Amino acid sequence: MNDRVSNSAAMTESSAVEIEIATRRLTAALDGLESAVERRRDADRDENELATRIQALGADRSRLADELDGALVKARKLERTNREISDRLDSAIVTIRSVLDTGEDG
């Protein structure tokens, strides 16, 4: 009977060691899983921040494109007005020279 108690104690001790080893492995696996989850949360947060920034850049780009279109329209109007004024000045100069030339003849 002494052998049975001795074997039983050895098996219990062996089982306790195996349980301890399994518990440590489980704890390490859970720690690894927790770390992976935290990294994933960080990655998701970074991805969301990046998406927000991209959206803001898109809005800025649209606004700037609208402003550029408006500036181009204004520049074309100014060019057209400048040409009209230049033509009128040329016409006025011709008229003034013509009046001066006829005034010198008479």
Side-chain angles (χ1 to χ4, degrees):
M1 194 171 215
N2 220 1
D3 282 340
R4 282 186 186 167
V5 171
S6 167
N7 281 343
S8 179
M11 287 180 73
T12 303
E13 189 175 313
S14 175
S15 294
V17 169
E18 288 177 11
I19 290 173
E20 180 63 29
I21 291 170
T23 301
R24 287 181 187 165
R25 287 178 54 206
L26 178 60
T27 301
L30 289 173
D31 288 344
L33 180 60
E34 186 177 335
S35 294
V37 167
E38 188 60 35
R39 284 192 306 273
R40 184 64 213 174
R41 273 192 213 134
D42 290 344
D44 288 347
R45 191 176 317 117
D46 291 345
E47 188 175 311
N48 289 337
E49 288 174 8
L50 182 60
T52 300
R53 287 181 184 173
I54 289 172
Q55 205 170 24
L57 288 173
D60 285 347
R61 182 191 170 281
S62 294
R63 180 183 52 79
L64 291 171
D66 289 343
E67 287 179 14
L68 178 60
D69 288 344
L72 288 173
V73 167
K74 187 175 182 178
R76 287 184 188 126
K77 285 181 183 177
L78 289 172
E79 286 175 9
R80 198 169 36 249
T81 302
N82 189 30
R83 266 192 309 257
E84 288 173 8
I85 291 171
S86 178
D87 290 345
R88 288 180 184 176
L89 283 172
D90 287 343
S91 178
I93 289 171
V94 167
T95 302
I96 291 170
R97 282 189 178 149
S98 171
V99 167
L100 291 175
D101 285 344
T102 51
E104 288 179 4
D105 287 342

